[in-house]
Amino acid sequence: MNRRGFLGFGAAIGATAFAPSLFAKENFTMWGAPAIPSVIMAVASLQGELAKTHDVRLRIWNSTDQLRAGVANGEIKITMAPSNVGANMRNHGLNLAMLNLLSLGTIQAMVKDENIKTFEDFIGKKLIIPFKGDMPDLVLRALCKKRGIDISKIDITYTQTPPEAAGLFLQRDYDILIVPQPLPAATILRGKKMG
């Protein structure tokens, strides 16, 4: 083998060491909320256009504090979040834009007593709800205000997470549970099993 052939062969062998990184897809992580709308992101991560050019994965943040910290330090670049959280982060100077708002059917109230049919029936009842000061609580307060209901007349217990609220609702004497989907459906199934 002559010198030119040897150098060409050596260059080809050297290039193969970098070949996997030349053809590898770039990683891209999306972050979803611990709620049913994250299914949309899961489908997009598997079937969306981005999946053709990137290795897309979906992770779920567990608390709004984790979400805020991840956006602030740049770890979370695209996420699903409650609209009030997104607006607050933007108002605090974080580089964040909202592209879409889901507004119907994500937060639901569940009751054990069939006589509880309206928000006015919440008065004097024991209600359990996750995320004090965040979206479910804000929605409840806004609806009560709109209906002229004094929220202090509802016995409210707050939990850190929706599953904790659902579990306590089933095991204790709470009259009303307010949680985001998919927990209402799961709570009904678990309640039927418990009788």
Side-chain angles (χ1 to χ4, degrees):
M1 176 180 293
N2 64 21
R3 184 173 187 258
R4 179 174 284 177
F6 177 76
L7 291 174
F9 179 72
I13 294 289
T16 61
F18 298 102
S21 63
L22 293 173
F23 300 108
K25 291 181 176 180
E26 184 179 345
N27 290 325
F28 188 84
T29 302
M30 297 188 301
W31 289 79
I36 200 70
S38 290
V39 170
I40 297 166
M41 294 182 79
V43 170
S45 71
L46 296 172
Q47 300 175 358
E49 288 296 314
L50 192 62
K52 295 176 182 176
T53 57
H54 292 73
D55 281 327
V56 182
R57 69 182 201 154
L58 175 65
R59 295 188 63 193
I60 303 297
W61 47 263
N62 297 313
S63 70
T64 51
D65 290 335
Q66 179 188 9
L67 170 64
R68 288 179 186 104
V71 170
N73 69 23
E75 178 186 3
I76 296 177
K77 293 181 179 23
I78 185 168
T79 185
M80 177 178 292
S83 57
N84 67 306
V85 174
N88 286 339
M89 287 191 286
R90 178 69 179 190
N91 289 339
H92 283 95
L94 294 174
N95 186 15
L96 186 73
M98 290 190 278
L99 301 177
N100 186 28
L101 290 177
L102 299 173
S103 59
L104 298 174
T106 57
I107 299 174
Q108 296 184 346
M110 303 183 66
V111 298
K112 292 177 181 172
D113 181 353
E114 293 177 1
N115 294 318
I116 301 173
K117 297 183 186 298
T118 68
F119 274 97
E120 288 76 15
D121 297 331
F122 286 16
I123 295 171
K125 303 295 186 201
K126 292 178 73 175
L127 181 146
I128 190 161
I129 187 170
F131 305 137
K132 182 176 184 176
D134 252 317
M135 189 55 79
D137 187 31
L138 295 173
V139 169
L140 173 65
R141 290 176 181 281
L143 290 172
C144 285
K145 184 176 181 180
K146 185 174 178 89
R147 302 286 288 258
I149 297 169
D150 181 355
I151 198 158
S152 69
K153 293 185 178 178
I154 302 171
D155 182 3
I156 301 175
T157 299
Y158 293 98
T159 64
Q160 293 294 315
T161 66
E164 181 184 3
L168 290 171
F169 174 72
L170 289 171
Q171 296 169 3
R172 303 224 177 122
D173 63 341
Y174 292 102
D175 303 297
I176 306 156
L177 167 68
I178 297 179
V179 287
Q181 279 289 2
L183 274 174
T187 302
I188 290 170
L189 292 174
R190 189 168 165 206
K192 285 180 180 178
K193 285 184 181 178
M194 294 172 67

